């Protein structure tokens, strides 16, 4: 039997662990050799990027690269611009307007005449009542006008008092001691400006005494006559008979 020849150092090179290039045999093709693919040509690279990048990075471009700040691109629709609360100057669509105010002669003018008046005073024509016939306008500085409107609204909110309602509960057979105790509480509530919601709660068969509960509430309102007025007469709502008493306004000096 013939023995296979043993290879010495010549002939096929020994496998050294490096992968053999596909598409042929022999030693790896050196860079720049004939037939090699030049950088930036041929099939596209993964991520859609063509050509080389600094640092050898060949992946997709990171988010925000190339934009000021490097932040992500804003997504979604833009916020709509806030509309002005009043129509001014050329935005007024009426052909005629009624001009009022202290700095002009009040009357009805064509929109061209009103705009000319505002321009001569170096002010704005502001439509303050668009539903009137013809619409009512004032000639003022628009920014100053908005500031005054905002200030007036803030003052109105400050003057508006919050209504506080205090509840007082009775039983259909409340004794005099308990009644007087709750009457004093109601008097203090009305003096501080709160409304009083008094009700009689009927539990079980006590609903048979609803006339007695109505008499109790009317007596309660009568005892508070000097401090409050009846806003709602006794009315039965489910298992409760309710009366509403609001404080009387203090006489102004």
């Amino acid at each position: 039997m013939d023995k296979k020849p043993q290879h010495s150092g010549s002939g096929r090179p020994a496998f050294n662990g490096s992968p053999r290039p596909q598409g042929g045999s022999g030693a790896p093709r050196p860079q720049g050799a004939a037939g090699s693919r030049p950088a930036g040509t041929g099939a596209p690279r993964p991520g859609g990027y063509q050509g080389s990048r600094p640092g050898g990075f060949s992946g997709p471009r990171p988010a925000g690269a190339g934009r000021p700040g490097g932040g992500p691109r804003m997504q979604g629709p833009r916020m709509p611009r806030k509309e002005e609360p009043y129509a001014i100057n050329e935005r007024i669509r009426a052909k005629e307007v009624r001009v009022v105010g202290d700095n002009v002669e009040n009357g009805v003018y064509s929109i061209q005449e009103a705009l000319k008046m505002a321009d001569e005073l170096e002010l704005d024509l502001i439509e303050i009542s668009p539903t009137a016939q013809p619409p009512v306008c004032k000639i003022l500085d628009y920014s100053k006008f908005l500031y005054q409107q905002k200030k007036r609204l803030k003052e109105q909110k400050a003057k508006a008092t919050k209504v506080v309602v205090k509840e007082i509960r009775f039983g259909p057979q409340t004794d005099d001691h308990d009644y007087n105790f709750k009457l004093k509480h109601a008097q203090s509530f009305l003096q501080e400006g709160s409304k009083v919601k008094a009700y009689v709660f009927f539990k079980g068969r006590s609903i048979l005494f609803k006339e007695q509960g109505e008499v109790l509430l009317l007596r309660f309102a009568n005892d508070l006559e000097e401090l409050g007025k009846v806003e709602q007469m006794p009315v039965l709502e489910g298992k409760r008979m309710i009366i509403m008493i609001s404080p009387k306004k203090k006489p102004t000096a």
Side-chain angles (χ1 to χ4, degrees), residues 60-238:
R61 183 185 295 272
R67 290 194 295 273
R73 186 184 298 275
M74 296 298 293
Q75 300 294 333
R78 293 183 177 181
M79 294 297 293
R81 186 176 180 180
K82 186 178 180 181
E83 296 183 359
E84 295 291 346
Y86 298 92
I88 61 171
N89 300 328
E90 289 77 9
R91 297 181 184 178
I92 301 174
R93 301 302 181 187
K95 295 181 179 180
E96 287 186 341
V97 294
R98 182 180 298 277
V99 179
V100 297
D102 300 331
N103 54 349
V104 296
E105 184 177 351
N106 297 355
V108 177
Y109 299 87
S110 67
I111 186 63
Q112 292 80 9
E113 291 175 332
L115 287 171
K116 184 179 179 181
M117 293 167 59
D119 186 60
E120 290 176 351
L121 295 172
E122 296 183 354
L123 297 173
D124 300 299
L125 183 67
I126 307 171
E127 188 180 49
I128 61 173
S129 182
T131 57
Q133 295 296 332
V136 180
C137 297
K138 278 189 174 184
I139 297 178
L140 297 167
D141 180 80
Y142 186 53
S143 59
K144 185 177 180 180
F145 173 75
L146 288 180
Y147 172 77
Q148 291 174 347
Q149 293 294 102
K150 186 176 180 180
K151 184 178 179 181
R152 186 178 296 111
L153 182 61
K154 187 176 181 180
E155 290 175 352
Q156 290 176 353
K157 288 183 177 180
K159 291 180 180 179
T161 56
K162 294 183 179 180
V163 178
V164 179
V165 179
K166 300 292 184 69
E167 292 188 354
I168 293 180
R169 171 175 169 170
F170 293 102
Q173 296 178 344
T174 301
D175 57 31
D176 290 341
H177 176 75
D178 191 24
Y179 174 85
N180 292 328
F181 178 77
K182 293 179 178 179
L183 179 64
K184 290 181 180 180
H185 277 286
Q187 290 172 341
S188 63
F189 294 153
L190 293 172
Q191 287 173 347
E192 69 184 22
S194 302
K195 288 186 178 182
V196 174
K197 179 180 181 180
Y199 65 92
V200 179
F201 182 75
F202 301 100
K203 184 177 180 180
R205 295 175 59 85
S206 64
I207 192 66
L208 299 174
F209 302 98
K210 59 182 180 180
E211 291 82 4
Q212 187 174 343
E214 182 178 5
V215 171
L216 176 64
L217 292 178
L218 291 175
R219 174 192 171 190
F220 188 68
N222 185 66
D223 291 341
L224 295 172
E225 186 177 7
E226 294 183 0
L227 298 175
K229 59 182 179 179
V230 177
E231 188 175 288
Q232 174 186 303
M233 294 297 288
V235 59
L236 186 64
E237 296 181 2

